[in-house]
Amino acid sequence: MEHPYGYIKDDKVYLKGFLGQEDRVIGEVKENEASTIQYFEARFQMIREKVEKLKQDIQENQNKGSFLMKLIHLKNSLYSSDALGDFPALISDLEEEEKFLEEIIQTNRERNLEIKHGLIEEAENLMHSTDWKQASEDFKNIKLRWLKTGPVEKAVEQETEERFQQALDVFYGNRKNYFDTLALQAEQNLKTYEDLLVQARQAHDLADVKLAFEISKKIQKQWKEAGRVPADKRQPIWDEFSKLNNRIFSKYKRVMQSGPTLSPGLLLRKMEKLAQEMRILSKGPSSPATMAEAKRLQAEWKKLPPKKPRNAQQSIKTFVFSTDLVYEKSFLNKLCHSKYEDFDGKSTEEKNIIKAGILKDLIARDQKELDTVKSNAENFRTNERDFDTILQRKINSYIRKMDVKNFLLRELSTP
């Protein structure tokens, strides 16, 4: 029995070959030839309906490209389907749809590449930002839009991904370095508070209540000028520090001030000697021995009478500035070693470049904090008696810090 797309021979149903395929058996005659032919025609009708349904889904769905693999799978299955009908026509229809989808996908990938290039440009413009909070929010938004953007051509996919990731790495690396520096600064500040507490204990145990009182005033001033530390770490130190200073003040009020004093000439010479020793110390490299000697000189300086000769101002300035230099060099050295494990193995030129970069970041941060202090002072000015004095002291402290860092920066750039 013949059929436009097949035939029956020896009770077997054949599908005529198409698109380069040979004739093949697709089934057997069951009841009679007519009903068997109808059965395989019905199977073809089901396949045709499936093709039409897929075409309709593609037409109605916005994300048309998602149907490409389903279409290819259906098209390939037609070559082995057991049914009687015009398979070449169905395959031709699906190939037209396939071409249509590939064009859409190509257009989408070009548009996706354009979108991703825009996101990369946004990321690269932001990657050096130091407004950490806002920039972090912006990067979060950029990454979300990146994930929502579809794929691009395989040929440019890796290059596109790497360029975007590089911008992310730069920003998040800079942010990590900044907060690592803050953490290290907080650690250094905590040591300052701990050192002030030690000084308060030592002053509290002094027999000379007048000297203890003068030391107490100095260290309380230094406490106000010390940097930020997490409150939970600072509070216990403050509790003991304030109690010790209150006791020192109480003793000072109760006990008559007495004790031998140096003549103005001897005192001036001793101050000049200590200032010169600290100045020499500040010109050398930082080391544990240097820090130990600096602390010894500080201890000697603290033993001097609180009332200084009028012509001792230069010695005071030299001692204070040189002391700051010694401590700043030590802090800078610790920062360099924390950021670069192989710091000691680098050349002098490389070390100076690293130090200069860190100093510039620290100076910028100090300037930003100084600007904030000045701005806050204008916005929250009060009529309290000591407000202007305390504010000026705080401003002077930031200026002094920046002067020391700028001095070190100039030292590094001097051949």
Side-chain angles (χ1 to χ4, degrees), residues 90-184:
L90 290 184
I91 291 172
S92 178
D93 281 354
L94 290 177
E95 285 177 343
E96 285 295 320
E97 287 293 320
E98 183 178 355
K99 183 179 178 181
F100 169 67
L101 293 181
E102 286 175 344
E103 288 175 354
I104 289 176
I105 290 171
Q106 179 62 30
T107 301
N108 287 343
R109 286 179 176 175
E110 290 173 1
R111 187 175 70 249
N112 292 341
L113 183 61
E114 184 179 345
I115 292 170
K116 288 192 172 182
H117 279 165
L119 293 173
I120 288 171
E121 186 175 344
E122 284 186 52
E124 288 177 342
N125 289 336
L126 270 174
M127 66 184 180
H128 294 298
S129 173
T130 55
D131 186 353
W132 307 114
K133 184 176 180 181
Q134 183 59 50
S136 295
E137 285 298 318
D138 292 340
F139 265 103
K140 183 178 178 181
N141 177 266
I142 290 171
K143 287 195 292 182
L144 184 61
R145 283 185 284 152
W146 182 276
L147 292 173
K148 288 182 177 180
T149 304
V152 299
E153 287 293 332
K154 289 291 182 183
V156 295
E157 182 178 21
Q158 183 175 352
E159 177 189 352
T160 307
E161 292 287 342
E162 286 177 355
R163 187 176 165 194
F164 182 68
Q165 188 60 46
Q166 184 179 12
L168 296 181
D169 291 344
V170 169
F171 172 73
Y172 287 110
N174 289 343
R175 189 181 70 169
K176 182 179 184 299
N177 289 339
Y178 172 78
F179 285 106
D180 285 349
T181 301
L182 282 188
L184 193 60

Side-chain angles (χ1 to χ4, degrees), residues 199-239:
Q199 292 180 55
R201 290 169 182 163
Q202 293 171 345
H204 179 267
D205 294 338
L206 286 174
D208 187 340
V209 293
K210 182 179 178 181
L211 178 58
F213 178 66
E214 293 299 329
I215 292 173
S216 174
K217 287 197 297 183
K218 289 181 182 179
I219 60 178
Q220 287 185 75
K221 177 183 176 182
Q222 292 171 7
W223 181 283
K224 291 177 182 178
E225 295 173 351
R228 298 176 181 174
V229 168
D232 60 330
K233 294 183 178 180
R234 180 178 177 273
Q235 191 61 42
I237 302 174
W238 165 251
D239 291 341

Side-chain angles (χ1 to χ4, degrees), residues 181-197 222-223 225-230 233-234 237 327-328 331 334 365-366 369 397-398 401 405:
T181 301
L182 282 188
L184 193 60
Q185 181 68 62
E187 184 180 340
Q188 187 70 23
N189 293 342
L190 182 61
K191 290 179 181 177
T192 300
Y193 285 120
E194 291 171 343
D195 180 61
L196 291 173
L197 178 57
Q222 292 171 7
W223 181 283
E225 295 173 351
R228 298 176 181 174
V229 168
K233 294 183 178 180
R234 180 178 177 273
I237 302 174
Y327 278 89
E328 192 62 42
F331 177 59
K334 288 180 181 177
R365 190 195 65 194
D366 287 345
E369 291 183 357
S397 173
Y398 278 109
K401 288 178 182 179
K405 293 180 178 73

Side-chain angles (χ1 to χ4, degrees), residues 24 37 40 65 68 151-152 155 226 234 364 390 404:
R24 63 181 178 86
I37 291 294
F40 284 104
L68 179 60
V152 299
R234 180 178 177 273
I390 294 171
V404 171

Side-chain angles (χ1 to χ4, degrees), residues 232-402:
D232 60 330
K233 294 183 178 180
R234 180 178 177 273
Q235 191 61 42
I237 302 174
W238 165 251
D239 291 341
E240 184 179 355
F241 182 81
S242 59
K243 286 179 183 177
L244 289 168
N245 284 291
N246 288 338
R247 290 171 186 169
I248 291 171
F249 180 70
S250 296
K251 285 182 184 179
Y252 177 73
K253 287 199 301 183
R254 290 197 308 266
V255 180
M256 180 66 67
Q257 301 177 51
S258 63
T261 58
L262 292 173
S263 68
L266 287 174
L267 177 57
L268 181 60
R269 285 194 291 275
K270 184 167 185 178
M271 291 176 68
E272 289 173 347
K273 178 177 179 294
L274 290 174
Q276 184 61 20
E277 289 180 9
M278 186 64 85
R279 183 171 178 272
I280 293 171
L281 203 61
S282 71
K283 290 183 175 295
S286 179
S287 69
T290 301
M291 289 303 299
E293 180 62 14
K295 290 179 180 179
R296 185 191 70 77
L297 292 175
Q298 276 186 298
E300 287 295 316
W301 186 272
K302 289 170 185 175
K303 293 177 183 177
L304 299 175
K307 189 175 181 181
K308 306 292 192 299
R310 291 181 179 178
N311 53 349
Q313 290 304 310
Q314 186 57 48
S315 295
I316 294 172
K317 289 180 181 178
T318 300
F319 186 85
V320 171
F321 189 74
S322 298
T323 302
D324 289 343
L325 279 176
V326 171
Y327 278 89
E328 192 62 42
K329 279 187 176 183
S330 174
F331 177 59
L332 180 60
N333 198 41
K334 288 180 181 177
L335 277 178
C336 290
H337 282 86
S338 71
K339 289 177 177 290
Y340 301 91
E341 293 182 1
D342 61 339
F343 183 74
D344 289 330
K346 294 182 180 295
S347 67
T348 301
E349 183 180 358
E350 289 176 318
K351 289 180 180 178
N352 288 343
I353 291 172
I354 291 170
K355 287 180 180 179
I358 293 174
L359 281 170
K360 288 175 183 177
D361 288 342
L362 293 175
I363 291 168
R365 190 195 65 194
D366 287 345
Q367 183 64 56
K368 188 174 181 180
E369 291 183 357
L370 175 59
D371 293 341
T372 301
V373 168
K374 289 180 178 178
S375 174
N376 289 343
E378 292 301 321
N379 294 332
F380 302 104
R381 182 172 293 278
T382 69
N383 294 322
E384 290 185 24
R385 184 178 57 182
D386 296 330
F387 177 83
D388 288 333
T389 302
I390 294 171
L391 174 62
Q392 193 57 50
R393 285 175 180 172
K394 196 168 187 67
I395 290 173
N396 290 341
S397 173
Y398 278 109
I399 293 173
R400 198 178 85 188
K401 288 178 182 179
M402 288 191 287

